Amino acid sequence: MTLPGEKQFPNLFQEAQFAGFKLANRIKFGACCVSNFNDRDGFISPRELARTKVISETGCGMITNQGAYPDPLGEGKGYFSQIALYDDKFMPQFEEIAGYIHDAGAMAIQQILHAGRYGGIDIGYCVQPSTVPQTLPHFRPPREMSKEQIHECIRQHADACERAIRCGYDGVEVTSFMGYLLANFLSSFTNKRTDEYGGSVRNRGRFMVELIDEIKQTIGDKPLIIRLNGAELMDKWGCNSEDECFEQIQMAADAGVDMMSITVGWQEAPESSIGRDVAPGHWNRLAARCKKMLPDLPLAFGVRLPDPEMADKCIADGEFDFWEVCRPLLADPQMVHKARQGRLDEVRRCVGSLNCLSRLFRDLPYTCTMNPTLGHEYEPEYSITPAVTKKRVMVVGAGPAGLECAIAAHKRGHEVTVYEKSDRVGGALRGYAEHDLANKDDLRSVIAQYEVVIARLGIEVKLNTEPTPKMMRTLLHQYDVVVLATGASTDTGALPEAEDGAPVVDALDIAVNGAEVGNKVVVVGGNKVGLTVAESLSQRGHEVIIVERGKRVADDVSPTWKWRHKAWIEELGIESVTGVRVAALTGAGVTVMNGDGSERTIAADSIVLAGPRRPNQELYNDFLWMVDEIYMAGDVHAPRDLTQAIHEGYRLGCRI
Amino acid sequence: MKDTAISEGARRGMADAAGWQAVLDRNRALFAPLSDGARIGLVSRGGADGPVSDLDGPMLVWAVTRQGARAEAAAFSGFQEAGVDLLLVADDAILAGLHARLADDALPDLVKRINRKEVAVFYLRARGELDDLGYEELFDELGISFMGACR
């Protein structure tokens, strides 16, 4: 029987042949980054096995297992708990993963990842073709590889590939993404050698060609995939041009690789490549260029291409052959199945928050804003299991925390009713979505997905209904559990009382309810809420100044997004006045006190109060003696972010 | 990058130790957390299309001593021999612009350009060593801790 999605996306769900293998579809799970779930000595952990079991069942025709470093010293080790494949002792768990993938009917590929410039995480140095220092302080100082070391490194790669094949993988992959050893040799940025491995574009490609040759000789007729940059995004610093990248792509093809995977950017690149601020489909042109240049070589691509519909069209248009997808499947491991079944509107989209990567560069296991179970697949506490005692659950607040909790609790068999004081679901996320400069559609999709799922599950949502103690007294014994997901608001008590005539407006009123403001706006609070509103108002033509008590703005913003807000503020010409205390809110504007006690008034037509924030916990004490169980989820505990709201709501729903 | 590719304007800018000293004196608090011996270099990459990792030519050094940060003219002949902890690399036009603003305080402009990644920052020591030299606060002020990886 043809499923609706197979008709809707005929190219994506078309069977394919690759290197003698029959693939169920044209979707490749890409090993886009490592998980940091494993043991420090390179062994695959039970946590990782549980994750890869889920990944193997995503429905992809081809699945690439995350990159293993190939050398015993760990010069290639780029992540805190990256897996290794330099010895047979690591093989049993790799075999297990290959088994999972085959059991799911997919082709199994093992990636070998020598991090080069970003490697040596345990040994205090990294190896590179030349000693070009780091531009990000996280990484290790470089040592230049001798020719003997280059030859040894190539041998280690081939040995690791051979081991992968012995583990049962159907093919192997080497990667330059995103600035790893292979890229370091290819790029004029890091390759300053004067021997045969440096200098011209072709000489810089010599390491790659020898690597391909050695691996191909070692693995026989098994396929080798290579991931290469179509653009380094380091042009600003005088590195490889796109033309040079493509010359090297041609070299790889000539050397006999079986599939090309095009990637974009280095970790230290000055430009964005995969964040929410890059429009989906932005990099497709690189795939199209590669396909035009190498029409007969299978091509995989998926950089900032999260949408199956777009991927299907690209395949139809001949831009690439396989949709290479990773982060969207971390966000929703059921995405392919949902697309196939015509349930695309139920897919939880990757919103490009880069929470995953922010954590990797803090040596933490990656997590996903949208998927609270990622990395917790083997923990029963994160599983939706039938509730032993069915309960009647009242959820107060239809923001992400409340809705996550409601959905999980409903799936467990509880009878759930959601109360929402406004006329729509989404909570503060609605405001964030409408004012996000990066990509409004991504965040809107989160709310839209909730609306669809709630409707399909039949969860009752009472809109325009604000529970109060009085109302609760009329509902006594109708609910066994109350979940407060009432969010946070501006802590006006922490600010001076606004004088009569002070043009004060709350940030959430602007963000969620569209309150109007005057031309000249002072935003009090330079954290996430204040920044988002300030940027949006400025973009709409208002003259905006941010006043922040802390030493700097964006303190509560995730590491991978801080730079973005800082850049936006600068691009928009928003002045930020930091390290000051608000002394008065008057009809003339905001009076601030500097560290030395001096005061000045910043004129404003409107004063937007965006911080500090406080949790809306009032109902907790009011309801405490009216219901058997009462819990809180999300910002009502402490103001934080979307990730915490989703994760906390889900976890609570799993254990009520 | 050959030394000869650096413009006269940029050379003059980097040779103007007295002008840069005024900037350092004005921003004394910024350098106060740095230990005696900490050194920051500023070099030119020539034109805006010059590679930032292929350098040669004059270098301006901010050397921290017990008496405070001193601006000194030096020469750059490779990362290995640079003798600095941090190396800032700007093109000639940016250097000339910074030089023109020395009297008004060029530092905010420099910070802005670092954040835009128009000025590249190379770390010539391991992060732990830099922290030991007291760089953490300066990184915060320069906005480097904002810059993130894998964007």
Side-chain angles (χ1 to χ4, degrees):
Chain A
M1 189 184 77
T2 305
L3 292 168
E6 292 170 341
K7 266 193 205 159
Q8 193 183 354
F9 309 121
N11 305 289
L12 210 52
F13 289 111
Q14 185 185 48
E15 285 185 356
Q17 289 283 335
F18 171 58
F21 290 87
K22 189 175 169 186
L23 305 177
N25 54 47
R26 292 177 174 270
I27 306 171
K28 174 181 188 281
F29 180 85
C32 66
C33 57
V34 308
S35 63
N36 263 352
F37 291 163
N38 296 290
D39 297 342
R40 291 282 284 127
D41 55 5
F43 280 95
I44 293 172
S45 69
R47 186 181 187 183
E48 178 66 23
L49 288 173
R51 182 193 80 102
T52 49
K53 183 85 167 63
V54 171
I55 295 298
S56 68
E57 290 163 359
T58 48
C60 299
M62 185 189 300
I63 289 177
T64 321
N65 191 34
Q66 68 174 265
Y69 64 92
D71 66 300
L73 274 179
E75 288 173 339
K77 183 178 180 182
Y79 297 91
F80 191 71
S81 58
Q82 189 182 342
I83 56 175
L85 196 46
Y86 60 80
D87 191 283
D88 286 1
K89 67 183 179 183
F90 298 108
M91 287 176 61
Q93 289 81 14
F94 281 88
E95 287 168 3
E96 201 162 340
I97 291 172
Y100 294 160
I101 297 171
H102 289 148
D103 288 348
M107 181 179 186
I109 304 293
Q110 177 59 50
Q111 185 184 82
I112 305 302
L113 189 170
H114 188 303
R117 179 168 172 77
Y118 306 143
I121 189 159
D122 293 335
I123 54 177
Y125 69 90
C126 69
V127 292
Q128 293 187 163
S130 311
T131 53
V132 175
Q134 302 291 355
T135 67
L136 291 171
H138 176 82
F139 300 114
R140 308 295 183 261
R143 286 187 190 172
E144 183 172 310
M145 293 173 84
S146 66
K147 278 195 207 177
E148 291 69 31
Q149 286 170 320
I150 290 173
H151 298 151
E152 175 66 9
C153 181
I154 289 172
R155 189 63 243 158
Q156 287 166 342
H157 273 78
D159 287 345
C161 288
E162 186 270 337
R163 231 167 252 124
I165 299 299
R166 271 198 285 136
C167 289
Y169 289 85
D170 306 306
V172 291
E173 177 176 285
V174 288
T175 181
S176 70
F177 183 66
M178 316 186 44
Y180 298 137
L181 183 67
L182 185 48
N184 303 155
F185 271 93
L186 294 171
S187 178
S188 57
F189 179 54
T190 38
N191 189 341
K192 304 291 175 192
R193 296 179 77 95
T194 52
D195 61 12
E196 66 269 34
Y197 289 101
S200 67
V201 174
R202 296 200 76 76
N203 270 4
R204 298 203 302 272
R206 186 180 305 277
F207 172 80
M208 172 183 71
V209 170
E210 289 182 3
L211 186 70
I212 292 168
D213 188 53
E214 185 88 6
I215 292 172
K216 291 289 288 179
Q217 285 191 43
T218 306
I219 62 172
D221 60 354
K222 299 290 186 187
L224 168 63
I225 302 169
I226 192 164
R227 302 197 83 194
L228 293 177
N229 273 319
E232 289 183 347
L233 303 187
M234 306 272 280
D235 315 40
K236 206 183 242 185
W237 291 349
C239 309
N240 274 13
S241 65
E242 273 185 35
D243 286 347
E244 287 175 317
C245 289
F246 274 84
E247 199 176 330
Q248 290 166 337
I249 288 168
Q250 179 70 60
M251 286 175 73
D254 294 343
V257 292
D258 299 282
M259 180 184 280
M260 182 68 61
S261 163
I262 294 295
T263 65
V264 180
W266 281 32
Q267 289 182 3
E268 59 203 286
E271 292 174 54
S272 296
S273 55
I274 57 173
R276 196 167 69 243
D277 54 327
V278 178
H282 181 77
W283 302 114
N284 293 2
R285 64 178 179 83
L286 295 170
R289 178 174 175 182
C290 183
K291 195 65 208 166
K292 196 172 172 189
M293 185 173 87
L294 302 166
D296 299 326
L297 185 66
L299 172 64
F301 182 78
V303 182
R304 193 60 181 127
L305 183 53
D307 179 11
E309 200 166 349
M310 193 183 275
D312 186 77
K313 186 172 180 316
C314 288
I315 294 173
D317 293 346
E319 291 184 357
F320 53 79
D321 306 293
F322 293 90
W323 181 32
E324 184 154 36
V325 55
C326 174
R327 291 183 307 147
L329 281 166
L330 300 184
D332 189 345
Q334 290 296 306
M335 180 186 68
V336 173
H337 299 298
K338 288 176 182 173
R340 201 161 160 256
Q341 292 159 7
R343 295 161 51 216
L344 204 57
D345 54 0
E346 288 181 36
V347 169
R348 299 176 71 111
R349 246 160 77 167
C350 166
V351 294
S353 68
L354 302 183
N355 180 64
C356 41
L357 295 162
S358 293
R359 287 176 59 93
L360 286 183
F361 290 110
R362 295 293 186 279
D363 295 338
L364 294 168
Y366 68 19
T367 56
C368 174
T369 294
M370 298 306 299
N371 180 2
T373 64
L374 179 66
H376 299 285
E377 288 86 350
Y378 74 140
E379 296 175 51
E381 295 83 356
Y382 283 78
S383 300
I384 291 182
T385 51
V388 176
T389 307
K390 308 288 185 222
K391 297 174 186 175
R392 295 161 301 171
V393 180
M394 172 196 228
V395 175
V396 184
L403 295 178
E404 280 296 328
C405 181
I407 292 167
H410 174 91
K411 285 181 176 173
R412 296 185 58 224
H414 296 310
E415 188 185 314
V416 180
T417 309
V418 180
Y419 287 75
E420 167 58 40
K421 67 179 178 184
S422 77
D423 61 352
R424 275 195 63 185
V425 303
L429 179 60
R430 275 169 55 197
Y432 183 19
E434 294 311 313
H435 295 267
D436 177 36
L437 254 54
N439 186 339
K440 294 176 173 54
D441 273 355
D442 273 336
L443 296 177
R444 283 175 185 150
S445 79
V446 180
I447 300 168
Q449 192 261 356
Y450 281 134
E451 286 171 334
V452 167
V453 171
I454 284 166
R456 294 222 170 117
L457 292 174
I459 296 173
E460 186 183 8
V461 181
K462 291 180 184 289
L463 297 173
N464 302 305
T465 310
E466 183 173 11
T468 60
K470 187 178 172 190
M471 175 187 166
M472 200 60 190
R473 275 191 286 276
T474 68
L475 297 174
L476 285 178
H477 307 298
Q478 290 190 28
Y479 293 104
D480 306 302
V481 181
V482 166
V483 173
L484 296 179
T486 43
S489 54
T490 306
D491 187 2
T492 49
L495 296 166
E497 194 174 337
E499 293 177 8
D500 282 347
V504 167
V505 55
D506 192 276
L508 285 183
D509 243 1
I510 299 170
V512 181
N513 304 320
E516 293 294 327
V517 293
N519 178 47
K520 204 173 166 85
V521 180
V522 173
V523 176
V524 176
N527 283 336
K528 207 172 336 188
V529 174
L531 287 168
T532 303
V533 170
E535 289 154 3
S536 174
L537 289 175
S538 176
Q539 198 184 42
R540 285 189 269 153
H542 297 270
E543 194 183 317
V544 182
I545 295 176
I546 295 173
V547 169
E548 166 57 37
R549 185 170 190 163
K551 203 172 167 189
R552 59 190 64 84
V553 298
D555 256 0
D556 66 344
V557 175
S558 77
T560 314
W561 277 92
K562 279 183 194 288
W563 75 274
R564 203 359 118 195
H565 280 291
K566 197 160 182 179
W568 278 330
I569 288 174
E570 197 196 309
E571 285 162 21
L572 292 163
I574 298 172
E575 186 188 342
S576 51
V577 179
T578 57
V580 296
R581 191 169 67 76
V582 175
L585 304 168
T586 71
V590 179
T591 303
V592 295
M593 186 187 283
N594 297 313
D596 60 5
S598 62
E599 287 189 356
R600 68 171 169 128
T601 296
I602 304 169
D605 302 325
S606 297
I607 302 169
V608 178
L609 303 183
R613 297 173 73 216
R614 65 164 186 85
N616 298 327
Q617 295 178 341
E618 292 79 1
L619 290 180
Y620 187 86
N621 279 332
D622 292 339
F623 288 4
L624 189 57
W625 297 96
M626 296 191 202
V627 68
D628 184 15
E629 298 175 46
I630 182 164
Y631 305 103
M632 298 193 288
D635 279 2
V636 67
H637 272 303
R640 285 156 296 162
D641 60 15
L642 179 62
T643 305
Q644 299 308 323
I646 289 177
H647 288 210
E648 220 165 82
Y650 175 82
R651 282 199 302 267
L652 182 57
C654 288
R655 72 177 169 85
I656 288 173
Chain B
M1 172 67 209
K2 290 281 163 274
D3 185 13
T4 48
I6 299 169
S7 72
E8 269 314 304
R11 278 175 202 283
R12 269 198 306 278
M14 281 188 290
D16 185 6
W20 282 101
Q21 187 61 50
V23 174
L24 300 185
D25 290 344
R26 201 175 293 129
N27 294 281
R28 199 164 289 156
L30 184 63
F31 297 95
L34 295 182
S35 304
D36 184 8
R39 287 166 69 84
I40 299 168
L42 175 64
V43 296
S44 170
R45 60 190 279 209
D49 55 352
V52 297
S53 56
D54 197 1
L55 307 160
D56 190 9
M59 173 166 64
L60 177 80
V61 174
W62 303 339
V64 177
T65 67
R66 278 185 210 146
Q67 286 72 43
R70 312 300 310 165
E72 299 168 359
F76 181 88
S77 56
F79 291 115
Q80 304 278 47
E81 299 79 28
V84 294
D85 315 313
L86 233 59
L87 187 71
L88 312 180
V89 185
D91 66 42
D92 282 358
I94 289 175
L95 280 170
L98 291 171
H99 187 225
R101 282 184 205 92
L102 289 187
D104 314 322
D105 191 358
L107 210 63
D109 192 32
L110 179 62
V111 170
K112 196 182 287 181
R113 290 177 184 281
I114 288 173
N115 279 278
R116 285 185 196 155
K117 292 207 172 185
E118 290 168 359
V119 172
V121 181
F122 283 105
Y123 299 84
L124 278 71
R125 286 180 183 271
R127 179 64 197 250
E129 292 176 303
L130 293 169
D131 287 347
D132 289 346
L133 284 165
Y135 273 99
E136 203 165 0
E137 185 102 349
L138 183 72
F139 289 169
D140 253 11
E141 291 298 329
L142 295 181
I144 287 170
S145 41
F146 274 82
M147 289 168 77
C150 208
R151 297 170 157 190

